[in-house]
mmCIF file of all heavy atoms in Angstrom:
data_model
loop_
_atom_site.group_PDB
_atom_site.id
_atom_site.type_symbol
_atom_site.label_atom_id
_atom_site.label_comp_id
_atom_site.label_asym_id
_atom_site.label_seq_id
_atom_site.Cartn_x
_atom_site.Cartn_y
_atom_site.Cartn_z
ATOM 1 N N HIS A 187 5.807 -4.902 3.058
ATOM 2 C CA HIS A 187 5.045 -4.967 1.868
ATOM 3 C C HIS A 187 4.472 -6.397 1.562
ATOM 4 O O HIS A 187 3.678 -6.560 0.857
ATOM 5 C CB HIS A 187 5.738 -4.388 0.666
ATOM 6 C CG HIS A 187 4.713 -3.789 -0.312
ATOM 7 N ND1 HIS A 187 5.141 -2.623 -1.127
ATOM 8 C CD2 HIS A 187 3.404 -3.824 -0.406
ATOM 9 C CE1 HIS A 187 4.098 -2.193 -1.855
ATOM 10 N NE2 HIS A 187 3.087 -2.864 -1.388
ATOM 11 N N HIS A 208 -0.050 0.667 -7.793
ATOM 12 C CA HIS A 208 1.002 0.314 -6.795
ATOM 13 C C HIS A 208 2.082 1.483 -6.877
ATOM 14 O O HIS A 208 2.780 1.573 -7.878
ATOM 15 C CB HIS A 208 1.633 -1.139 -7.141
ATOM 16 C CG HIS A 208 2.934 -1.451 -6.479
ATOM 17 N ND1 HIS A 208 3.963 -2.235 -7.196
ATOM 18 C CD2 HIS A 208 3.448 -1.051 -5.311
ATOM 19 C CE1 HIS A 208 4.852 -2.392 -6.350
ATOM 20 N NE2 HIS A 208 4.746 -1.702 -5.175
ATOM 21 N N ILE A 209 2.200 2.182 -5.685
ATOM 22 C CA ILE A 209 3.153 3.207 -5.721
ATOM 23 C C ILE A 209 4.389 2.784 -4.824
ATOM 24 O O ILE A 209 4.103 2.389 -3.728
ATOM 25 C CB ILE A 209 2.500 4.505 -5.069
ATOM 26 C CG1 ILE A 209 1.296 4.974 -5.854
ATOM 27 C CG2 ILE A 209 3.480 5.624 -4.972
ATOM 28 C CD1 ILE A 209 0.509 5.981 -5.169
ATOM 29 N N ASP A 210 5.623 2.893 -5.450
ATOM 30 C CA ASP A 210 6.716 2.263 -4.746
ATOM 31 C C ASP A 210 8.022 2.616 -5.593
ATOM 32 O O ASP A 210 7.964 2.881 -6.733
ATOM 33 C CB ASP A 210 6.575 0.682 -4.865
ATOM 34 C CG ASP A 210 7.343 -0.092 -3.777
ATOM 35 O OD1 ASP A 210 8.451 0.232 -3.451
ATOM 36 O OD2 ASP A 210 6.851 -1.162 -3.385
ATOM 37 N N HIS A 212 10.215 0.328 -5.640
ATOM 38 C CA HIS A 212 10.531 -1.015 -6.111
ATOM 39 C C HIS A 212 9.317 -1.729 -6.718
ATOM 40 O O HIS A 212 8.304 -1.489 -6.307
ATOM 41 C CB HIS A 212 11.095 -1.838 -4.881
ATOM 42 C CG HIS A 212 11.955 -1.073 -4.003
ATOM 43 N ND1 HIS A 212 11.608 -0.328 -2.872
ATOM 44 C CD2 HIS A 212 13.333 -0.955 -4.028
ATOM 45 C CE1 HIS A 212 12.699 0.151 -2.299
ATOM 46 N NE2 HIS A 212 13.809 -0.103 -3.025
ATOM 47 N N ASP A 214 8.927 -4.893 -6.572
ATOM 48 C CA ASP A 214 8.381 -6.001 -5.735
ATOM 49 C C ASP A 214 7.979 -7.310 -6.531
ATOM 50 O O ASP A 214 6.966 -7.753 -6.183
ATOM 51 C CB ASP A 214 7.327 -5.592 -4.620
ATOM 52 C CG ASP A 214 7.910 -4.542 -3.801
ATOM 53 O OD1 ASP A 214 9.249 -4.397 -3.744
ATOM 54 O OD2 ASP A 214 7.122 -3.914 -2.999
ATOM 55 N N HIS A 226 8.891 -9.523 1.346
ATOM 56 C CA HIS A 226 8.451 -8.143 0.920
ATOM 57 C C HIS A 226 8.996 -7.566 -0.471
ATOM 58 O O HIS A 226 8.455 -6.677 -1.021
ATOM 59 C CB HIS A 226 8.699 -7.090 2.073
ATOM 60 C CG HIS A 226 10.178 -6.482 2.063
ATOM 61 N ND1 HIS A 226 10.415 -5.323 2.526
ATOM 62 C CD2 HIS A 226 11.218 -7.079 1.692
ATOM 63 C CE1 HIS A 226 11.759 -5.016 2.496
ATOM 64 N NE2 HIS A 226 12.199 -6.134 1.959
ATOM 65 N N PRO A 229 5.674 -9.520 -3.408
ATOM 66 C CA PRO A 229 4.045 -9.788 -3.393
ATOM 67 C C PRO A 229 3.495 -9.583 -4.748
ATOM 68 O O PRO A 229 2.470 -10.222 -4.996
ATOM 69 C CB PRO A 229 3.710 -8.525 -2.466
ATOM 70 C CG PRO A 229 4.816 -7.661 -2.384
ATOM 71 C CD PRO A 229 6.074 -8.483 -2.429
ATOM 72 N N PHE A 230 3.953 -8.816 -5.524
ATOM 73 C CA PHE A 230 3.304 -8.453 -6.882
ATOM 74 C C PHE A 230 3.545 -9.611 -7.798
ATOM 75 O O PHE A 230 2.663 -9.879 -8.818
ATOM 76 C CB PHE A 230 3.609 -7.250 -7.459
ATOM 77 C CG PHE A 230 2.944 -6.071 -6.450
ATOM 78 C CD1 PHE A 230 3.759 -5.563 -5.358
ATOM 79 C CD2 PHE A 230 1.654 -5.776 -6.676
ATOM 80 C CE1 PHE A 230 3.099 -4.660 -4.583
ATOM 81 C CE2 PHE A 230 0.989 -4.891 -5.733
ATOM 82 C CZ PHE A 230 1.757 -4.228 -4.725
ATOM 83 N N ASP A 288 3.523 2.123 -0.889
ATOM 84 C CA ASP A 288 4.820 1.875 -0.231
ATOM 85 C C ASP A 288 5.375 3.138 0.154
ATOM 86 O O ASP A 288 5.738 3.941 -0.793
ATOM 87 C CB ASP A 288 5.692 0.907 -1.126
ATOM 88 C CG ASP A 288 7.070 0.566 -0.355
ATOM 89 O OD1 ASP A 288 7.485 1.446 0.410
ATOM 90 O OD2 ASP A 288 7.510 -0.586 -0.573
ATOM 91 N N ASP A 290 8.252 4.122 0.646
ATOM 92 C CA ASP A 290 9.499 4.426 0.039
ATOM 93 C C ASP A 290 9.379 4.808 -1.417
ATOM 94 O O ASP A 290 10.307 5.251 -2.097
ATOM 95 C CB ASP A 290 10.501 3.324 0.103
ATOM 96 C CG ASP A 290 10.299 1.970 -0.629
ATOM 97 O OD1 ASP A 290 9.653 2.187 -1.725
ATOM 98 O OD2 ASP A 290 10.625 0.991 -0.136
ATOM 99 N N VAL A 330 2.046 0.885 3.547
ATOM 100 C CA VAL A 330 3.088 -0.082 4.076
ATOM 101 C C VAL A 330 4.461 0.528 4.109
ATOM 102 O O VAL A 330 4.846 1.610 3.612
ATOM 103 C CB VAL A 330 3.018 -1.303 3.289
ATOM 104 C CG1 VAL A 330 1.768 -2.088 3.347
ATOM 105 C CG2 VAL A 330 3.525 -1.067 1.841
ATOM 106 N N GLU A 331 5.362 -0.272 4.801
ATOM 107 C CA GLU A 331 6.752 -0.062 4.849
ATOM 108 C C GLU A 331 7.260 1.323 5.601
ATOM 109 O O GLU A 331 8.263 1.744 5.460
ATOM 110 C CB GLU A 331 7.409 -0.045 3.486
ATOM 111 C CG GLU A 331 7.366 -1.287 2.664
ATOM 112 C CD GLU A 331 8.437 -2.302 3.228
ATOM 113 O OE1 GLU A 331 9.325 -1.937 3.941
ATOM 114 O OE2 GLU A 331 8.205 -3.509 2.895
HETATM 115 MN MN1 LIG B 469 7.244 -2.255 -1.730
#
Side-chain angles (χ1 to χ4, degrees):
H187 218 155
H208 167 208
I209 301 165
D210 202 324
H212 314 93
D214 293 349
H226 74 153
F230 293 92
D288 182 325
D290 69 31
V330 297
E331 294 285 344

